[in-house]
């Protein structure tokens, strides 16, 4: 996936945020498929990413 990144001081260093509200973004398809063993809730908020300059 390619996306534009905007670097700010709003998020802690070492974290990346991408909006997953809109269906056309489909960011949830890129996240970890792990489920919480008790609640069976998808682990959408934690996954590894690699950020590269274009």
């Amino acid at each position: 996936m390619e996306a534009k990144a905007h670097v700010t001081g709003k998020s802690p260093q070492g974290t990346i945020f991408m909006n997953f509200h809109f269906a056309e973004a489909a960011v949830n398809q890129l996240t970890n498929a792990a489920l919480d063993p008790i609640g069976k809730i998808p682990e959408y908020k934690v996954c590894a990413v690699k950020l590269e300059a274009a």
Side-chain angles (χ1 to χ4, degrees):
M1 172 182 186
E2 291 186 22
K4 290 183 180 182
H6 180 73
V7 179
T8 71
K10 293 181 180 180
S11 297
Q13 186 173 355
T15 62
I16 293 178
F17 173 81
M18 186 168 203
N19 193 327
F20 53 90
H21 176 74
F22 301 103
E24 60 271 13
V27 175
N28 289 345
Q29 294 180 13
L30 302 174
T31 58
N32 190 349
L35 294 176
D36 176 270
I38 297 170
K40 306 299 184 211
I41 299 168
E43 187 180 64
Y44 289 148
K45 295 183 179 183
V46 180
C47 69
V49 297
K50 181 178 182 182
L51 182 63
E52 296 178 338

